[in-house]
Amino acid sequence: MRTRPLKVALLGCGVVGSEVARIMTTHADDLAARIGAPVELAGVAVRRPGKVREGIDPALVTTDATALVKRGDIDVVVEVIGGIEPARTLITAAFEHGASVVSANKALLAQDGAALHAAAEENGKDLYYEAAVAGAIPLIRPLRESLAGDKVNRVLGIVNGTTNFILDKMDSTGAGYQEALDEATALGYAEADPTADVEGFDAAAKAAILAGIAFHTRVRLDDVYREGMTEVTAADFASAKEMGCTIKLLAICERAADGASVTARVHPAMIPLSHPLASVRGAYNAVFVESDAAGQLMFYGPGAGGSPTASAVLGDLVAVCRNRLSGATGPGESAYAALPVSPMGDVVTRYHISLDVADKPGVLAQVATVFAEHGVSIDTVRQQGKDGEASLVVVTHRASDAALNGTVEALRSLDTVRGVASIMRVEGE
Ligand code: HSE
């Protein structure tokens, strides 16, 4: 074994960074044996230097992250500060000054992954980011390496634990969205400002990263269609139950049937209780992958938290350190397929539409005609009437999102349709 240690700079020492530092210390011998050289924490960049950080030598702590990444003797920079800047500038500087990078930064990778990969490649360095998607769950490496010989057609995932906790609560207790969110906040699952989670931004960034790797195509955050889950109601769950379904916030990356394009989207959807993703409870994450040769695969585990995320970071650190020792680099960006990313209107799926209508002769025929005129085929219709008004639930066969939107617009203009109570896509069948 080499005795000269590989030097690691840690950018950020919060929930994840402090766990990375702790495991690097407590598992030092095992890590050295697995890598073939010891790894040494050579510097820790933080915003608040005065804070006591158990197990970290205060002499290593600095507020000057730029100077740390530019030192020239750093082998690996571990970036766990998150956000776009200064992370982007620091990572780029790290490559230019001889370091490889391990990052957990989904927002940055989703927005600027191509430029960062290019900077890594220009400088002959590694960029690894297993922790950026679904915390501890090995997903990036299986997609990038284990499935490199297969053809992935679909990635369907629960990639946000906060929203899964909220939806699971609504499902199991009949609670409304706000009540379930309040509980998630009280238990520390939801942030004080939960927007990134509940509006689907976090999941959309992960979808962009997964789609890019799965389809060997650049997929940027802006390419991902996004709907949050704040409008999901207890009534939606009741309807889902009647259909033998539950509701999940899903990240869905798909290759079109003709293989010529891809789509990526995040929105709440009904899925059958028989689907493996339906049984993913609480704040857990899971990703279901469908490929030509392997068939169906499911990856499951904790998608957030200091220790689980640190597990993924440490796995990358070991891989990158091994590459340093062998003088090699791991796989970089694979975007050779360059498939176009189609808009949401081209997505084809099933829909569950809940309408409030007048309960009088001809209304059902009128509604059915609108569906027919837009080429949307009805699978089932359920009606419940009361005092001259009725609730009509229509479940469609597969149709394009554009056709469904046209249908709903036309339905809204009918006098007999009092309102469109909810529209929910039905996935995983
Ligand atoms: N806030 C995310 C979640 C974890 O709730 O899953 C970090 O991506």
Side-chain angles (χ1 to χ4, degrees), residues 8-242:
V8 176
L10 185 58
L11 308 184
C13 198
V15 179
V16 177
S18 56
E19 270 301 292
V20 170
R22 186 187 67 76
I23 297 171
M24 279 182 68
T25 308
T26 56
H27 295 190
D29 291 344
D30 285 327
L31 292 174
R34 291 169 197 176
I35 291 166
V39 270
E40 172 191 306
L41 194 56
V44 183
V46 300
R47 263 187 314 193
R48 285 175 296 147
K51 197 172 145 192
V52 176
R53 294 179 171 87
E54 208 182 317
I56 294 182
D57 178 357
L60 297 178
V61 175
T62 175
T63 52
D64 194 345
T66 306
L68 180 59
V69 300
K70 289 184 175 178
R71 253 170 56 168
D73 65 336
I74 300 295
D75 292 286
V76 187
V77 168
V78 173
E79 183 270 308
V80 284
I81 50 181
I84 305 300
E85 286 294 355
R88 175 171 49 197
T89 303
L90 291 169
I91 289 175
T92 309
F95 292 136
E96 288 165 358
H97 289 79
S100 284
V101 172
V102 173
S103 172
N105 195 331
K106 65 207 155 233
L108 180 57
L109 265 306
Q111 185 179 305
D112 283 324
L116 293 176
H117 274 294
E121 196 177 332
E122 263 166 46
N123 292 283
K125 300 293 174 289
D126 276 328
L127 172 60
Y128 277 46
Y129 43 90
E130 184 65 68
V133 181
I137 308 174
L139 201 51
I140 304 290
R141 200 162 307 136
L143 281 172
R144 199 147 82 155
E145 299 182 34
S146 318
L147 290 167
D150 204 341
K151 182 182 175 200
V152 175
N153 295 313
R154 198 159 191 243
V155 178
L156 185 68
I158 295 169
V159 291
N160 183 274
T162 305
T163 47
N164 201 55
F165 178 89
I166 295 169
L167 291 170
D168 187 26
K169 237 333 116 183
M170 291 173 75
D171 189 20
S172 58
T173 66
Y177 164 71
Q178 191 58 49
E179 194 187 330
L181 170 63
D182 290 345
E183 186 170 347
T185 310
L187 291 171
Y189 288 115
E191 312 250 354
D193 176 1
T195 310
D197 293 320
V198 301
E199 294 296 352
F201 291 102
D202 175 82
K206 293 165 179 169
I209 296 170
L210 290 176
I213 297 171
F215 305 134
H216 302 271
T217 284
R218 266 182 204 156
V219 179
R220 286 172 50 94
L221 188 53
D222 292 347
D223 296 322
V224 181
Y225 172 84
R226 178 193 54 77
E227 262 177 44
M229 44 71 72
T230 57
E231 317 259 293
V232 177
T233 62
D236 290 328
F237 270 102
S239 291
K241 277 196 179 130
E242 282 184 36

Side-chain angles (χ1 to χ4, degrees), residues 225 263 342-349 351 399-405 425:
Y225 172 84
T263 51
S342 299
M344 186 62 191
D346 289 1
V347 165
V348 173
T349 189
Y351 300 85
S400 75
D401 218 67
L404 195 278
N405 281 334
R425 296 174 185 89

Side-chain angles (χ1 to χ4, degrees), residues 146-393:
S146 318
L147 290 167
D150 204 341
K151 182 182 175 200
V152 175
N153 295 313
R154 198 159 191 243
V155 178
L156 185 68
I158 295 169
V159 291
N160 183 274
T162 305
T163 47
N164 201 55
F165 178 89
I166 295 169
L167 291 170
D168 187 26
K169 237 333 116 183
M170 291 173 75
D171 189 20
S172 58
T173 66
Y177 164 71
Q178 191 58 49
E179 194 187 330
L181 170 63
D182 290 345
E183 186 170 347
T185 310
L187 291 171
Y189 288 115
E191 312 250 354
D193 176 1
T195 310
D197 293 320
V198 301
E199 294 296 352
F201 291 102
D202 175 82
K206 293 165 179 169
I209 296 170
L210 290 176
I213 297 171
F215 305 134
H216 302 271
T217 284
R218 266 182 204 156
V219 179
R220 286 172 50 94
L221 188 53
D222 292 347
D223 296 322
V224 181
Y225 172 84
R226 178 193 54 77
E227 262 177 44
M229 44 71 72
T230 57
E231 317 259 293
V232 177
T233 62
D236 290 328
F237 270 102
S239 291
K241 277 196 179 130
E242 282 184 36
M243 282 183 62
C245 289
T246 187
I247 298 171
K248 297 291 187 189
L249 183 72
L250 296 178
I252 305 170
C253 313
E254 276 174 325
R255 199 186 282 280
D258 64 2
S261 62
V262 298
T263 51
R265 51 193 165 115
V266 168
H267 53 71
M270 292 185 182
I271 52 166
L273 292 171
S274 56
H275 193 283
L277 287 177
S279 56
V280 177
R281 311 293 305 269
Y284 275 83
N285 284 194
V287 177
F288 195 73
V289 177
E290 297 173 12
S291 69
D292 266 4
Q296 299 180 331
L297 304 162
M298 175 127 137
F299 300 83
Y300 170 86
S307 186
T309 308
S311 164
V313 169
L314 264 297
D316 279 354
L317 181 63
V318 169
V320 169
C321 285
R322 286 174 177 158
N323 291 345
R324 295 284 286 197
L325 288 185
S326 66
T329 50
E333 185 190 32
S334 172
Y336 74 91
L339 294 168
V341 185
S342 299
M344 186 62 191
D346 289 1
V347 165
V348 173
T349 189
R350 296 179 68 207
Y351 300 85
H352 175 285
I353 302 128
S354 212
L355 304 168
D356 296 323
V357 297
D359 193 3
K360 57 184 192 188
V363 173
L364 190 54
Q366 222 180 6
V367 167
T369 302
V370 170
F371 277 86
E373 281 169 356
H374 290 82
V376 179
S377 174
I378 293 173
D379 181 17
T380 61
V381 181
R382 204 172 63 240
Q383 182 180 322
Q384 207 165 18
K386 197 178 166 214
D387 303 331
E389 299 291 303
S391 149
L392 197 62
V393 173

